[in-house]
Amino acid sequence: GLLCTVAAACAAHAGALPGDPSRLADYHRARVLAFMRQHLATQGLDVATIARGVALSESQIHRLFPAAGGSPMRRLWAMRVERARELLHTAPRHRLADVAWLCGFQSQAHFNHVFKQHHGLSPSAYLAQRSAGEAERP
């Protein structure tokens, strides 16, 4: 209906043919990622909430992400871990529990687990390694 017409118009404006499914998927993926960024700190953010926020079905959202390297939730966790890493760099004196909360993790334990999966180190080991590296600089 109307949503498809608007999406086709946006895709056409971006240089795609109105029926080009890859451009439409890129457009929707960008909308989903923008929504995730806006709500990064939201506790309990899940695919159902994201779907409601961008007016797509959950199955549509799941179909957008295998081509982009994983599930929507894996992408959300990666975005949250990257934000946490930024916070650890810019404000290393934050308590790790506060960083976890600011990045939408429901517990520090879950934050530690996901951070270690992405960086190979726990957040505290990451901070210690970073501090040791700065101490070695002249």
Side-chain angles (χ1 to χ4, degrees):
L2 180 59
L3 182 59
C4 289
T5 303
V6 171
C10 290
H13 179 67
L17 298 173
D20 185 352
S22 66
R23 293 287 185 158
L24 189 56
D26 290 344
Y27 167 74
H28 287 308
R29 189 178 306 108
R31 289 179 50 234
V32 169
L33 292 172
F35 184 87
M36 287 176 172
R37 274 190 293 278
Q38 285 180 313
H39 298 88
L40 204 59
T42 302
Q43 298 288 321
L45 185 62
D46 60 7
V47 175
T49 304
I50 295 166
R52 284 190 302 275
V54 297
L56 293 172
S57 72
E58 291 180 51
S59 60
Q60 285 174 302
I61 290 176
H62 282 288
R63 281 193 301 268
L64 293 173
F65 283 86
S71 74
M73 292 310 293
R74 284 182 194 228
R75 189 63 172 271
L76 177 62
W77 294 129
M79 292 168 72
R80 286 177 166 171
V81 166
E82 180 55 28
R83 176 67 180 131
R85 194 185 63 73
E86 290 169 5
L87 286 173
L88 293 174
H89 277 277
T90 59
R93 303 251 187 271
H94 272 342
R95 289 184 20 219
L96 292 179
D98 293 338
V99 172
W101 182 80
L102 288 168
C103 296
F105 290 95
Q106 293 184 351
S107 70
Q108 184 178 341
H110 188 233
F111 167 55
N112 290 345
H113 176 75
V114 174
F115 192 94
K116 189 171 184 175
Q117 281 182 324
H118 283 263
H119 292 289
L121 298 167
S122 68
S124 56
Y126 181 85
L127 277 174
Q129 184 181 58
R130 185 173 179 270
S131 295
E134 287 177 0
E136 292 175 8
R137 288 189 213 154

